[in-house]
Amino acid sequence: MIAVDACAELLAHSRATALLASAAAVLNWDQEVLLPPGGGEWRSRQLAALAGLVHQRATDPRQAEWLACCEADAAFAAEHPELAACVRELRRDHDRQLRLPAALVEELARVESLSQRAWAEARKDSDFAAFAPFLRQMLQLQQQKAACLQRGHALPWDALAEQFEPGMTAASLQQLFAPLRQQLLGLLQRLQQSRRPPRADFARLRFAEARQEALVREVVAAIGFDFQRGRLDRSAHPFCTGLGGDVRLTTRFHPDNVMDALGSTMHEGGHGIYEQGLPQEHLGTPLGEAVSLGVHESQSRLWENQVGRSAAFWRWARPLARRHLGRWVDAFSADELFGAANVVAPSLIRVEADEATYNLHIMVRFELELLLLSGDLPVEDLPAAWHQRYRDQLGLEVPDDARGCLQDVHWSCGLFGYFPTYTLGNLYSAQFFAAAERELGDQSQAFARGEFAPLRQWLRQHVHQHGRRYLPDELCQRATGAPLSSQPFLDYLEQKLRSVYDV
Ligand code: ZN
């Protein structure tokens, strides 16, 4: 078989597998949004059946032959760089699948579902001791998983992180995080000395859900989420899932926090705009897939923060808010709404954190995760280590473990090596935005008129349309002319918050 034919077989196989996987994604979406409780049992069997089929296809031994055939032909990569990128990525996926023994994959799935239920109960009662045995078991399995995948990686943690962010290592993150932490702590200190902090009362006004929904729908359509190929629904935790042909967003509404609904919807909308911007002709192949979780998160953060928390955005959004939320908005100028969207207050809960403290939450989890995985931190000592870090870094006393180490679902469902992708998303978002403005010019005039297409087109051209063609490092270098750094993020945050806090 010649390389071009082998590659065609490989891509056809990949597309057919993606069809099954996206059918499972529809069932998952339905489970979170519509499914009545009585349907849960049968639904989990449907999902398990599809997962079995997807796994079978993903480990199909014919792929090894097709891959080897493509890789053996030196001219193939030079003549077809896009196809060669597909081969590189499918090789990565395939090797990963093969290195994990089926027994371990099944055991992980079994323990994940038990441990997630145990975590939910333990969090409700703030009872870490009830969750500890499950976390211990989960850690053992993660250590086994890392051992299977470790070839070519310095640390077991790196092997786990690779599935979320190719190329991310604990060492490279430590380098990126050290100056970030120092400067964030310095910035927080300066903000605390402000004599003119922004008004925080807008966030506490009560607005009916229907009014909030009308507002967020108009905003997310204005930034470019295509409702012809997407939906917005409600769920307990907002998420976005790309189904290939269309993209589903969810959000939530609290009567007394319209900023949360707006931020969450713009965030998920940003994920959705990325999914809608992936090249349709390559769906089901690596060229039609998102490159990494960090880059995915950069797209959500960029629309949520660089756009949705900018002064110019609020000049445009204030009349819109007035129209949907009513005369209460009259008491706030555009600048005051901009201030209200940028209140900084250290808090215990990551998902409610502001832009300045958010990354400190991530660094705490990252450090503790490394220690847990290496065995240097025994599970029973986790709550105390957590309390210590929140005291040292955020200046907060953690009153109970529900608001401490039990707050996030990730460890219970086996997501080790995942948390830092949130911070990478923040750093990438600022670096992409700075590069876009260097090319397009200052976007504030455009935002104030509700024109978001130039920015969206820039992201399409430099990020979305490439799928997984480049690894995250190379994508960043090509799009911004530099490797990822914390400096653009710190510059952006300093400039904005010093003006909001007048310091
Ligand atoms: Zn996100």
Side-chain angles (χ1 to χ4, degrees), residues 120-147:
E121 283 296 307
R123 184 171 78 151
K124 213 164 57 195
D125 307 333
S126 195
D127 180 3
F128 181 74
F131 177 57
F134 293 92
L135 182 56
R136 235 173 251 125
Q137 197 181 5
M138 177 57 81
L139 271 167
Q140 271 170 11
L141 289 172
Q142 293 295 323
Q143 283 156 348
Q144 284 177 36
K145 183 177 171 183

Side-chain angles (χ1 to χ4, degrees), residues 175 237 363:
Q175 252 180 10
H237 302 285
M363 289 182 227

